[in-house]
Amino acid sequence: RKEVEQDPGPFNVPEGATVAFNCTYSNSASQSFFWYRQDCRKEPKLLMSVYSSGNEDGRFTAQLNRASQYISLLIRDSKLSDSATYLCVVNDGSARQLTFGSGTQLTVLP
Amino acid sequence: DGGITQSPKYLFRKEGQNVTLSCEQNLNHDAMYWYRQDPGQGLRLIYYSQIVNDFQKGDIAEGYSVSREKKESFPLTVTSAQKNPTAFYLCASSIASGGSYNEQFFGPGTRLTVL
């Protein structure tokens, strides 16, 4: 079983749509959680950290469910510029290493 | 401007050759990391270093070597022992503080192709 699992997609949605990505992780000792965005042939960039109480940054909302070991990212009012691959990232709880999911590809269509 | 730089952006290597990828940061971060990314896959950790003159193997260290002689620099050598080196190599850094974990910041990457 992969340590961090994501639906690879692709998700093709129209502009203005709401889209949600899910991610599950296997290490119950994980302490830190992140969503990164990666554009085609570019480096990953931090989109947002995920906090236990859930957090929102503009059109983006992240949720964490520790009991189910599940993280989600919700994007409202999708823009063409949101087209990218979204990586779910979890730390290993002990050695300060990050484990990356394979990513979910999003294409926002005009 | 603070950031992480990697060079070269593209690198071509003949089979049997060793090549060294450069990674420099001026963010004053203690920790630095090397990852490999293959098409359609997530990042896999090659090596990481939490402090100067110390580094640890990641999940796929075989065929790679690193050094950390300066805080700002963490070069990666891809040796001829690496069986399938063609990939996108990403360097990252983060603040390393006791008891907490911080996000990693990435350089622009080096695309290595073995001819």
Side-chain angles (χ1 to χ4, degrees):
Chain A
R1 180 186 170 189
K2 288 185 182 177
E3 293 182 45
V4 178
E5 292 207 51
Q6 296 182 249
D7 181 343
F11 284 61
N12 298 317
V13 302
E15 262 188 298
T18 295
V19 61
F21 304 140
N22 300 319
C23 169
T24 57
Y25 62 95
S26 60
N27 187 347
S28 59
S30 296
Q31 295 295 320
S32 301
F33 310 90
F34 308 94
W35 282 101
Y36 276 73
R37 170 195 169 126
Q38 186 173 25
D39 292 296
C40 187
R41 302 179 70 81
K42 299 286 189 181
E43 74 274 23
K45 293 185 179 178
L46 180 68
L47 178 66
M48 58 197 304
S49 301
V50 186
Y51 303 121
S52 297
S53 56
N55 48 300
E56 187 174 307
D57 183 1
R59 298 181 292 109
F60 298 85
T61 300
Q63 296 282 348
L64 168 64
N65 184 323
R66 286 188 185 272
S68 301
Q69 295 179 201
Y70 168 98
I71 305 161
S72 66
L73 176 68
L74 183 77
I75 305 175
R76 291 182 299 276
D77 189 22
S78 301
K79 311 290 184 192
L80 295 177
S81 57
D82 293 334
S83 298
T85 297
Y86 291 83
L87 303 173
C88 176
V89 185
V90 176
N91 92 321
D92 74 352
S94 60
R96 300 180 184 170
Q97 295 183 41
L98 293 181
T99 300
F100 288 76
S102 300
T104 298
Q105 185 180 344
L106 171 67
T107 301
V108 181
L109 305 168
Chain B
D1 252 38
I4 304 174
T5 57
Q6 291 186 242
S7 61
K9 188 173 182 179
Y10 298 97
L11 185 58
F12 298 90
R13 187 195 95 172
K14 292 183 180 179
E15 281 194 32
Q17 284 182 334
N18 292 356
V19 290
T20 298
L21 282 56
S22 168
C23 177
E24 304 278 333
Q25 55 98 359
N26 61 5
L27 300 168
N28 200 32
H29 286 172
D30 290 308
M32 297 187 74
Y33 310 82
W34 273 106
Y35 294 91
R36 168 186 173 136
Q37 187 176 35
D38 294 282
Q41 297 191 31
L43 280 65
R44 292 184 290 167
L45 183 64
I46 304 173
Y47 268 98
Y48 65 104
S49 168
Q50 298 284 0
I51 197 169
V52 174
N53 292 324
D54 187 48
F55 48 83
Q56 286 79 41
K57 293 181 179 180
D59 300 321
I60 55 165
E62 185 175 351
Y64 300 97
S65 65
V66 293
S67 62
R68 187 85 187 277
E69 297 177 1
K70 299 186 298 182
K71 187 175 184 178
E72 304 78 25
S73 178
F74 191 41
L76 173 74
T77 296
V78 184
T79 75
S80 56
Q82 168 49 234
K83 300 301 180 192
N84 185 21
T86 295
F88 186 36
Y89 289 87
L90 288 156
C91 179
S93 70
S94 70
I95 297 169
S97 56
S100 66
Y101 197 86
N102 294 275
E103 62 265 28
Q104 294 180 10
F105 298 88
F106 286 84
T110 293
R111 292 196 178 274
L112 173 63
T113 303
V114 173
L115 303 173

